[in-house]
Amino acid sequence: MANILVAATPVSGHHGPLLRIASHLSSAGHEVVFLGGARFADDVRAAGPGFRALPPEADYDDRDFSARFPERAGVPAGPAQTMWDVMHVFGDPTPHQHRALQEALAGFPATAVLYDNLFFGGVALSLGDAPDRRPATYSVGISPLGVESRDTAPHVLGLLPPVDDAQRAEYAAIAARMAEQRAPLVGHLRSCFAAAGVTLPEGPLGRTLTDSADFFLQLTVPGFEYPRSDQPTGVRFVGAIPIPATVGQEPPAWWPELERARAAGRRIVVTTQGTLANTDLDRLVVPTVRALADREDVLVVAATGRPDAAERVAAHLDAVPGNAIVAGFVPFADLLPLTDLLVTNGGYGGTQAALAHGVPLVVGGDSEDKPEVAARVEWIGSGVNLRTGDPSDDRLRAAVDTVLGTASYRERAAALAKEYAAHDALALIEGMVTDTGRH
């Protein structure tokens, strides 16, 4: 059995996959310690691993970003906000995360350390010592692979791969301009890593972050990611982390309505804005409910991920349509097998889960990594990319009609589901991190 330290940024979309990995490793008999946000302590202990809290300088509650990062609200969504997030949400905690990892390792001699790909304290640990003087390190890719490549567009813009030399030249010019614009970001990160006693190497940032760990475990299948002829050798596609099944819980009160709709041959359309960008439900969830209000052949499930779901949605609608269910937290492991279409803002984990169940998508998101997720959905032909985070009702209605009425979207999603089924992500990760040799 192995000693394994798992570390996660205190954001739900980062914490969740890392905790499911840690729980699997713990249930397999390995000694596991989880370093994460204090608000997740009870969940971690209930899942099996031991728990250590991040220091206050590296901890915050992602349910209220404005409390810790008040300036963020003034940064426009898109590349500017992504750059701000990398600098401050993920960059500033670097020395404190690094110190927390070292302190944890001093009392828990782990043979392997796993961390999400934006837990920069883990990157500092990987860079700070030669591989034979530290535990094996594994960065877990919980967002689209961001390594620069001659075969892809500049990352974060949501552009499809180049199709000819002219477009490659165009993208190269865009990348050069972006490099100039990112100079403050790189300089800021250098100071963050220097505060941890580590030098951030020269070269493209995405490649440095991917190459620093011994292995980079991307939580998807090759079919969802752009092919790169110059892909780093340490990248491994391990598949999607399965959504945990609900055990010992009663189904929601509205579940019989869902089953009746399925039995009657109605299509089930689920809409969600995930766990982070779900404060303003009038961006995607409410417009989807409104756009499909007259569709008798459809039942819409608004999965808001919020305890105040009814109040939030009611604030934007005169009344909830008769063909819609407004829900807070839903049992996605049970819901996705019954779903015909997911309308989503493009959260990485939720998109992987939908495709693993063969569910096609309509994607409309403009924050964090969501444009890149939407572009990949478009590229693989498993859904419609709305190319906006604020689609109109008409645009949503047309996109839903297109996906439900065109067999190729579901066929492509079904083909991807077979690829996901061929990857047992948790078993693959366990096999890698418990192997004492560096493969």
Side-chain angles (χ1 to χ4, degrees), residues 373-395:
V373 174
R376 284 159 173 77
V377 168
E378 176 183 356
W379 175 73
I380 60 180
S382 62
V384 167
N385 178 5
L386 294 171
R387 298 177 180 268
T388 177
D390 297 287
S392 67
D393 293 7
D394 288 345
R395 193 167 181 182

Side-chain angles (χ1 to χ4, degrees), residues 51-90:
F51 177 76
R52 287 180 66 101
L54 287 164
E57 301 92 336
D59 201 3
Y60 45 85
D61 190 333
D62 66 317
R63 296 168 297 185
D64 185 10
F65 259 33
S66 61
R68 180 62 176 268
F69 307 105
E71 303 89 349
R72 186 177 188 268
V75 183
Q81 191 175 86
T82 299
M83 187 166 81
W84 194 94
D85 286 349
V86 173
M87 291 171 69
H88 302 294
V89 177
F90 303 111

Side-chain angles (χ1 to χ4, degrees), residues 269 271 281-300 313 316-317 319-321 323-324 341 343 362 386 391-401 404:
V269 175
T271 179
L281 296 177
D282 197 36
R283 300 199 72 194
L284 187 65
V285 168
V286 170
T288 303
V289 172
R290 193 167 52 225
L292 302 178
D294 60 347
R295 292 284 299 267
E296 295 182 359
D297 62 325
V298 164
L299 178 67
V300 180
V313 172
H316 299 285
L317 294 172
V320 175
N323 70 337
L341 170 65
V343 181
V362 169
L386 294 171
S392 67
D393 293 7
D394 288 345
R395 193 167 181 182
L396 273 165
R397 188 182 301 111
V400 169
D401 286 343
L404 290 180

Side-chain angles (χ1 to χ4, degrees), residues 165-261:
D165 289 342
Q167 195 168 48
R168 287 186 181 87
E170 177 188 351
Y171 283 174
I174 294 173
R177 291 195 298 271
M178 289 178 64
E180 293 180 3
Q181 296 165 355
R182 286 177 175 173
L185 179 154
V186 176
H188 186 85
L189 289 187
R190 290 196 188 286
S191 66
C192 293
F193 276 79
V198 175
T199 299
L200 191 66
E202 298 290 337
L205 180 60
R207 189 160 288 268
T208 294
L209 298 179
T210 306
D211 283 347
S212 56
D214 295 318
F215 291 94
F216 192 94
L217 311 180
Q218 186 67 35
L219 296 184
T220 191
V221 294
F224 186 76
E225 190 51 73
Y226 303 135
R228 294 168 170 83
S229 59
D230 51 356
Q231 183 167 288
T233 58
V235 172
R236 300 289 186 275
F237 293 100
V238 297
I241 301 292
I243 299 175
T246 53
V247 179
Q249 296 182 13
E250 290 293 323
W254 47 264
W255 201 259
E257 185 177 349
L258 177 71
E259 294 176 333
R260 287 193 294 270

Side-chain angles (χ1 to χ4, degrees), residues 299-320:
L299 178 67
V300 180
V301 179
T304 68
R306 300 188 61 88
D308 57 352
E311 295 86 348
R312 292 267 180 175
V313 172
H316 299 285
L317 294 172
D318 293 334
V320 175

Side-chain angles (χ1 to χ4, degrees), residues 89-111:
V89 177
F90 303 111
D92 289 348
T94 301
H96 313 293
Q97 293 173 345
H98 185 242
R99 184 183 75 248
L101 285 170
Q102 291 179 314
E103 291 173 352
L105 290 169
F108 180 70
T111 54

